[in-house]
């Protein structure tokens, strides 16, 4: 009687493992009904095992326990019966609370704005363009699953709420491929579903919508639905879901996964990166690397290194997402499930319905690096400029729409090959080649050669004057003789 529930669960577990993938099983457990069912099952097992122990203690055919038997019996009950079930119940309750914090919003239909208040400084009326309207899915029975992935600039020492990372990820369940497109944060004049356009930078739309709810009647007030509608209009697709990640929590998630593997396309050094554990810049070499949380965040955020920009950073962020996906599929969530769930609850909020997670997880487990397609919206799809809004990126709407059709084709159709992720380099990932980064030493100017001094002509020595014999002294003249005076007659 004591072991029967455990034996039954072992048999049931083996059957589930044989018929279900690990990611699908983990996603199934996330369902609220399943979690409450597990709590009820654990309570029933605890009662069953206590009764089983009780029948062995008070069975008529057995001798009755004495007082000195009470302590060992209590210890056995605590260690072998109560403690395991209490831990299992605690784990389940932690999971339930964490998931309630992650899945905070219901899935809502696209925003249908009412009559907004005018605000010419940030919102400008524009005639609706039929060519930019999302077209219905050609295979409505098996549609694409489109999710807007957001990196929120909200961490230590930050009081802003800017969506500096915006990646539209789309899963095709038929071809079992994933396509990703990164949107530059400085893009302006993005069209809205109601025909207006947002004049500000697109990374500030969520914050603007939160502070100006009257501009978006029908919105749920989070601003995420407004941004989904704007980017859906830009790309000509429907984006019903989002997942928002904050910077600080991202580090903990990667650490709980025991790190991720990424393929670094080229080395770089940014001496200006002084955040989240790095006080002397960040550098990384080309090749395959295994990154911890701080390293992964730095790799995803650096943009001031020589040769790097917002666009190359967006490509690196997509590589980090691929690394996280690979680690989860390979069982990284099993290492510390409680720690991972707690880290996720402080990091991610999403409106993805839990009921679709098992199917998503099952399909994602089959998607490898070779099944991933990704790109970044850059020139010639946008034009760089500068005005009172600062440095801006002006979208070329028709070209962006053409890109969307190429990388997000109808389900069952493969995206264009040029967007396929390149194969990872050979060899095992390494943890070396990652360090701080000091500014390059300024070379000392080469001293100009000092010209040899022109020797001054040596003056010819003046010949010493030949000594002249002093003239002989002139003899003293004698007195002139007196004139003869004739004698007087």
């Amino acid at each position: 009687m004591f072991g029967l529930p455990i034996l039954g669960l072992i048999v049931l577990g083996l059957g589930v493992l044989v018929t279900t993938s690990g990611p699908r099983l983990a996603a199934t457990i996330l369902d609220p009904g399943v979690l409450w069912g597990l709590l009820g099952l654990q309570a029933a097992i605890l009662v069953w095992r206590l009764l089983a122990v009780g029948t062995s203690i008070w069975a008529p055919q057995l001798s009755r326990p004495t007082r000195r038997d009470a302590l060992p019996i209590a210890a056995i009950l605590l260690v072998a019966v109560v403690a395991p079930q209490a831990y299992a119940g605690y784990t389940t309750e932690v999971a339930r609370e964490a998931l309630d914090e992650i899945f905070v919003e219901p899935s809502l239909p696209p925003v249908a704005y009412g009559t907004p208040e005018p605000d010419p400084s940030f919102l400008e009326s524009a005639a609706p363009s039929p060519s930019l309207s999302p077209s219905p899915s050609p295979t409505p029975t098996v549609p694409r699953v489109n999710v807007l992935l957001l990196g929120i600039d909200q961490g230590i020492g930050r009081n802003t709420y800017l969506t500096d990372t915006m990646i539209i990820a789309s899963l095709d369940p038929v071809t079992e491929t994933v396509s990703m497109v990164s949107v530059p944060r400085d893009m302006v004049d993005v069209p809205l579903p109601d025909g207006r356009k947002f004049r500000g930078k697109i990374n500030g739309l969520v914050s603007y919508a939160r502070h100006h709810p009257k501009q978006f009647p029908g919105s749920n007030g989070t601003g995420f639905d407004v941004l989904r509608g704007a980017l859906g209009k830009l790309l000509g697709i429907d984006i019903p879901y989002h997942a928002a990640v904050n910077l600080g929590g991202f580090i903990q998630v990667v650490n709980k996964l025991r790190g991720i593997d990424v393929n670094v396309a080229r080395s770089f050094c940014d001496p200006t990166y002084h955040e989240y554990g790095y006080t002397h810049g960040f550098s990384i070499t080309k090749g395959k690397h295994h990154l911890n949380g701080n390293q992964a965040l730095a790799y995803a955020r650096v943009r001031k290194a020589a040769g790097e920009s917002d666009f190359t950073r967006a490509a690196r962020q997509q590589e980090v997402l691929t690394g996280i996906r690979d680690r989860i599929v390979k069982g990284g969530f099993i290492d510390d499930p409680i720690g991972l769930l707690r880290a996720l609850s402080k990091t991610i909020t999403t409106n993805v319905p839990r009921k679709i997670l098992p199917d998503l997880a099952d399909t994602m487990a089959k998607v490898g690096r070779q099944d991933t397609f990704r790109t970044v919206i850059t020139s010639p799809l946008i034009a760089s400029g500068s005005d009172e809004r600062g440095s801006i990126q002006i979208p070329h709407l028709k070209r962006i729409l053409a890109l969307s059709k190429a990388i997000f084709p109808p389900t069952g159709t493969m995206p264009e090959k040029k967007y396929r992720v390149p194969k990872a380099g050979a060899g095992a990932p390494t943890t070396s080649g990652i360090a701080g980064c000091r500014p390059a030493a300024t070379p000392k100017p080469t001293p100009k050669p000092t010209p040899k001094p022109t020797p001054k002509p040596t003056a010819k020595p003046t010949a010493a004057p030949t000594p002249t014999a002093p003239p002989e002294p002139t003899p003293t003249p004698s007195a002139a003789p007196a004139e003869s005076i004739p004698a007087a007659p």
Side-chain angles (χ1 to χ4, degrees), residues 22-98:
R24 184 181 184 88
L25 178 59
T28 300
I29 295 175
L30 303 183
D31 185 90
V34 174
L35 289 172
W36 281 113
L38 287 175
L39 286 172
L41 178 62
Q42 289 157 7
I45 291 175
L46 177 59
V47 172
W48 174 278
R49 302 185 77 189
L50 288 174
L51 289 174
V53 173
T55 58
S56 66
I57 293 176
W58 284 281
Q61 64 271 28
L62 300 176
S63 59
R64 302 295 297 272
T66 63
R67 289 185 179 179
R68 62 182 180 180
D69 298 325
L71 183 59
I73 289 174
I76 291 173
L77 287 174
L78 181 62
V79 174
V81 180
V82 177
Q85 295 305 134
Y87 179 75
Y90 166 75
T91 301
T92 306
E93 179 60 18
V94 168
R96 189 190 65 79
E97 292 177 355

Side-chain angles (χ1 to χ4, degrees), residues 118-158:
D119 184 0
S121 60
F122 279 94
L123 294 169
E124 181 178 320
S125 297
S129 175
S131 62
L132 295 177
S133 300
S135 57
S137 173
T139 53
T141 55
V142 189
R144 280 184 168 273
V145 181
N146 300 325
V147 182
L148 173 59
L149 306 175
L150 301 169
I152 308 297
D153 189 11
Q154 186 183 39
I156 300 171
R158 299 174 183 273

